[in-house]
Amino acid sequence: MLDGIRFEQTGKPAVVVATSSFVRLANSIKKSVNLEDLPLVVLAHPLGGQELAESKAGGVAAEIVKAVLG
C-alpha cells in the first residue's frame, strides 16, 4: 500500500493489490491520503501457498496491467 501511495505521489502509475480481507483497510488508507482514484485489484483471501498465490496472481494480471495503463 505504501509503495503504491509513494509512486502515485511522485507521478508514477501504480496499482495496489490486496486480498479480500484488506479491502476496507486499503480503501480507508486511500481516502485518508486523498488518493481515492488509486486502483485496487482484489484477490481472494488467503493467498495460500506459492502455487496457489501464483495462480491467483495470474488470474488478475490483465486487470493489474489495465489499472496501471488506465
Side-chain angles (χ1 to χ4, degrees), residues 7-24:
F7 269 64
E8 284 290 320
Q9 289 174 335
T10 60
K12 298 172 187 160
V15 61
V16 172
V17 179
T19 65
S20 53
S21 291
F22 295 95
V23 171
R24 282 185 61 193

Side-chain angles (χ1 to χ4, degrees), residues 5-68:
I5 291 167
R6 287 183 178 155
F7 269 64
E8 284 290 320
Q9 289 174 335
T10 60
K12 298 172 187 160
V15 61
V16 172
V17 179
T19 65
S20 53
S21 291
F22 295 95
V23 171
R24 282 185 61 193
L25 176 61
N27 284 324
S28 177
I29 292 170
K30 287 179 5 171
K31 185 175 182 177
S32 73
V33 295
N34 296 317
L35 287 174
E36 289 93 344
D37 292 336
L38 178 62
L40 177 64
V41 174
V42 181
L43 296 169
H45 187 85
L47 286 178
Q50 183 173 344
E51 266 186 42
L52 184 55
E54 287 174 1
S55 174
K56 289 180 181 182
V60 296
E63 188 177 350
I64 293 168
V65 170
K66 183 179 177 182
V68 170

